């Protein structure tokens, strides 16, 4: 598989997972649109982190990936409240 097709498949896997998650939040959990969008935004932060660092697919994210992601949130000097919301969203 050439690099462009691999990137497209990688991006598609993440987007499908995020779409499935947002659908679950909307219809199963009945969360507000603003909350769903915030969680999707946070999941995309994890996606961008993994794309840059580990290349992990959503089903392959490891504890180490998560620890590094959380460290990056801390390094970005996000408030504890923002960090907690992001953790809640990607858990």
């Amino acid at each position: 598989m050439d690099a462009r097709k691999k990137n497209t498949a990688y991006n598609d896997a993440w987007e499908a997972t995020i779409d499935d998650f947002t659908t679950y939040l909307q219809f199963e959990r009945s969360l507000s649109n603003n909350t769903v969008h915030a969680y999707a935004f946070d999941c995309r932060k994890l996606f961008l982190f993994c794309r840059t660092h580990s290349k992990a697919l959503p089903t392959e994210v490891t504890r180490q990936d998560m620890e590094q992601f959380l460290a990056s949130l801390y390094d970005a000097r996000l408030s504890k409240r923002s960090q907690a919301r992001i953790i809640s969203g990607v858990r």
Side-chain angles (χ1 to χ4, degrees), residues 66-86:
M66 290 303 297
E67 289 171 352
Q68 291 173 350
F69 176 64
L70 296 175
S72 75
L73 299 177
Y74 178 81
D75 292 344
R77 297 179 184 237
L78 293 176
S79 71
K80 297 243 186 242
R81 186 174 181 172
S82 293
Q83 290 177 42
R85 192 199 72 232
I86 293 168

Side-chain angles (χ1 to χ4, degrees), residues 20-37 39:
D20 289 347
F21 181 56
T22 58
T23 299
Y24 162 77
L25 293 174
Q26 287 174 315
F27 297 108
E28 299 294 325
R29 301 279 311 276
S30 299
L31 297 179
S32 74
N33 284 338
N34 286 342
T35 301
V36 171
H37 289 296
Y39 281 151

Side-chain angles (χ1 to χ4, degrees), residues 1-13 57:
M1 182 182 294
D2 71 31
R4 187 173 47 209
K5 285 183 183 177
K6 188 175 181 180
N7 269 341
T8 299
Y10 179 80
N11 293 345
D12 289 349
L57 289 167

Side-chain angles (χ1 to χ4, degrees), residues 14 42-51 66 69 90:
W14 272 96
D42 296 338
C43 288
R44 284 187 178 87
K45 286 180 185 175
L46 176 61
F47 158 58
L48 293 173
F49 177 85
C50 288
R51 185 173 67 181
M66 290 303 297
F69 176 64
V90 300

Side-chain angles (χ1 to χ4, degrees), residues 53-72:
H53 293 86
S54 70
K55 308 293 189 227
L57 289 167
T59 57
E60 299 170 339
V61 174
T62 65
R63 181 182 184 102
Q64 182 179 9
D65 293 326
M66 290 303 297
E67 289 171 352
Q68 291 173 350
F69 176 64
L70 296 175
S72 75

